[in-house]
Amino acid sequence: MSKNEGKKFISKEIALNAFKDSFKKLNPKSMAKNPVMFIVEIGFIISLILTVFPDAFGKSGGNLRVYNGIVCFVLFITVLFANFAEAVAEGRGKAQAETLKKTRKDTKAKLLSKNGEITEISASDLKKGDIVLVETGDLIPNDGVVIEGLASVDESAITGESAPVLKEAGGDFSSVTGGTKVQSDWLKVEISASPGESFLDKMISLVEGASRQKSPNEIALSTVLVSLTIIFLIVIVSLLPMAKYSKVDIPMSTLIALLVCLIPTTIGGLLSAIGIAGMDRVTRFNVIAMSGKAVEACGDVDTMILDKTGTITFGNRMAAEFVAVGKHTVEEVTRFAALSSVKDGTPEGRSIVELAKKNNVIIEEKEYKDSEFIEFTAQTRMSGMDISGGVKIRKGATDAIKGFVKEYGGEIPEELDSITERISKLGGTPLVVAVDKHIVGVIYLKDTVKPGLVERFARLREMGIKTVMCTGDNPLTAATIAKEAGVDDFIAECKPEDKIFVIKKEQSQGKIVAMTGDGTNDAPALAQADVGLAMNSGTQSAKEAANMVDLDSDPTKILEVVEIGKQLLITRGALTTFSIANDIAKYFAIIPAIFAVAIPEMNKINIMGLATPTSAVLSALIFNAIIIPLLIPIAMKGVKYKPMKTERMLLKNIMIYGVGGVIVPFVGIKLIDILVSPLLRTLGI
């Protein structure tokens, strides 16, 4: 879960700034972006005019000035609450942006000329393509790609993680981010972003909400809300001549109150806040979404493409078993495997030594200080130790060790191939151990499936999401890992073009596809996918191709991101259902109140037994205003999400937010009526 999940959704500072911004947003230019609330603001202005000039729209009788003033005040509060909801959502993003801005400093950069001379200039003067030198203690001046050197880089200012990350030229860990710090050694970096266009600049812009684009779903819902507003506006305009024909005198403020109660003001006031809060939840999860559309696409995902190594498995193969061959014993294999690994600092080497210790075989490294350790290389595909006295111990790939043994005139045991094949079928990697010309046994290296993935994939299956594992392993190994992890399908011996093919195939069936990646070879597939989650530790091309970047570089995080997307869609749907259901109670409150005097039969539908027509109108209007701030926590935090089938989820939300949306206003309006009716009688309204 998010590191910030336990924190309060709103601090005192954010609340104070949001309160100030609520007044700034009263500007008609700003309000016009939200047509529903803009209508409420116009109603407020008309009510204000009627409060000052009660006869502005015709003669009025009774104590209407006070009544108009109360309606005016409640409408003003309604608009202010809606602005406050949006300002709170924006304020949370601005607070994050301020933290990021502290990271962005105008540092000095060591610019390298073609002849190797170093010139110290301001980082803001760097251009794309410039080459800079960053040494121990230096801040990396801008985004770039390592072209020479190897160094550990502290990325905590951006990711929040204290552990440094190793960066080197070439491969999938050559991308560096401006604002991060070199902890050791040095790097030559080719700048890949112009000033103001760095990854950090984009992050600040995104979390501030300045570049937030409405998603297609949000635009569609906004269109529906505007359409409903226009329809009810026509109804209210038509109601005035009908009332005059029925000899019913309806005050203009009452018609305005009726319009505001009928149009979907609740969801209209919260819609923008829901969208901003959705992106904010993703950001607080240390994932940067390039648009609101990307977050929502997560909620619609049908198929998820996942790499095996690092996502489904730990990627570090661990020793699981020692297998003897021929006349050799397990104890012999264990001892020689441990000797070949005693100076091997790789995760595999350390796991072999650990397994040997569990088998009561302990090798003291100091006893072999005069021995020569042979490191693994891509050319030899084996490592080991040359012990003083001429004994050569090696462990490595089957064919490499076979070649080593044959070189010394040794023979290959008959059962070796069957043992290595059995290990491969189990999803493991066989490492053959040899001493001079004799093969003594095999080490079974197991690529361990991450714990809890079976349950998580089951949850995705409940959501109707298909999981596909991509791996370069042979079909036997791939099938074993896929079965153990619980994925729905797999692609063995997968090449970059295979990923694009499967994404296009799923998309051709109308499905939304998500995938993760970190390498340059993943960039085309990340760009093709509807949701592409790139690792921050990955290459620049991968990050540019994706529409989401994980600052923690955790490939499994896409599982949680999908749930956040689902939560965003559910939250919007739930609050829309609640808002529309609210209107039913408002009809029963206001309609009888308007016509009860001229048409006594209308009292039959006054099922709430509201005291007077005036208190009924004001009670409904007050409830309409106060329900918005009461729903702000739900809009910010999101509706609690549990994986389940779409039909069941829909039924659950209708029962909670549909039925609840009908019952709550009946209770709320009645309680408000009990409180305000004595006051209204005192005022003579």
Side-chain angles (χ1 to χ4, degrees), residues 413-599:
E414 292 181 5
E415 69 267 39
L416 180 65
D417 288 339
S418 62
I419 292 171
T420 56
E421 187 178 337
R422 175 180 66 82
I423 291 172
S424 295
K425 284 181 179 179
L426 291 171
T429 301
L431 279 186
V432 180
V433 180
V435 181
D436 292 331
K437 64 179 182 179
H438 302 291
I439 291 177
V440 297
V442 181
I443 306 167
Y444 171 18
L445 291 181
K446 187 177 181 183
D447 196 355
T448 311
V449 173
K450 291 183 178 180
L453 279 187
V454 174
E455 292 78 12
R456 293 169 81 179
F457 288 139
R459 281 166 58 194
L460 290 173
R461 204 169 292 112
E462 286 179 25
M463 298 181 215
I465 297 174
K466 175 185 175 184
T467 50
V468 180
M469 181 187 78
C470 292
T471 176
D473 290 336
N474 61 63
L476 286 174
T477 302
T480 303
I481 295 291
K483 184 179 180 181
E484 187 177 345
V487 294
D488 299 313
D489 201 358
F490 67 90
I491 303 171
E493 299 174 345
C494 182
K495 299 181 287 295
E497 54 267 29
D498 294 330
K499 293 180 183 178
I500 298 176
F501 174 77
V502 72
I503 290 170
K504 287 183 176 179
K505 181 182 176 182
E506 294 291 319
Q507 288 173 333
S508 67
Q509 298 171 17
K511 295 180 180 179
I512 304 295
V513 182
M515 80 157 285
T516 61
D518 58 2
T520 301
N521 60 352
D522 290 325
L526 286 168
Q528 179 65 39
D530 300 283
V531 178
L533 179 64
M535 303 298 103
N536 189 43
S537 62
T539 61
Q540 191 69 25
S541 57
K543 289 192 278 189
E544 288 175 357
N547 51 20
M548 303 182 94
V549 178
D550 175 22
L551 301 181
D552 295 330
S553 301
D554 177 7
T556 63
K557 197 179 284 186
I558 194 168
L559 305 175
E560 281 86 0
V561 172
V562 165
E563 291 194 358
I564 292 173
K566 292 277 186 188
Q567 187 185 39
L568 171 62
L569 294 178
I570 291 166
T571 301
R572 184 182 295 141
L575 293 185
T576 301
T577 304
F578 186 87
S579 176
I580 294 172
N582 265 214
D583 291 341
I584 296 173
K586 296 171 194 172
Y587 301 154
F588 281 97
I590 297 181
I591 299 297
I594 293 175
F595 293 99
V597 176
I599 311 171

Side-chain angles (χ1 to χ4, degrees), residues 128-139:
K128 192 174 181 179
D130 284 345
I131 295 174
V132 297
L133 174 69
V134 280
E135 299 173 295
T136 303
D138 291 347
L139 285 174

Side-chain angles (χ1 to χ4, degrees), residues 98-169:
E98 286 303 316
T99 303
L100 291 169
K101 283 177 181 176
K102 292 175 184 175
T103 303
R104 186 175 59 184
K105 300 172 183 175
D106 187 17
T107 57
K108 294 294 182 181
K110 298 171 183 175
L111 180 66
L112 285 171
S113 63
K114 291 182 179 178
N115 57 13
E117 291 183 0
I118 298 175
T119 308
E120 200 167 271
I121 65 169
S122 171
S124 59
D125 294 330
L126 287 172
K127 301 184 297 294
K128 192 174 181 179
D130 284 345
I131 295 174
V132 297
L133 174 69
V134 280
E135 299 173 295
T136 303
D138 291 347
L139 285 174
I140 295 171
N142 206 341
D143 295 356
V145 177
V146 178
I147 57 173
E148 190 179 335
L150 183 148
S152 57
V153 178
D154 177 8
E155 296 186 330
S156 59
I158 292 176
T159 66
E161 296 295 335
S162 57
V165 180
L166 199 66
K167 297 289 184 178
E168 59 184 326

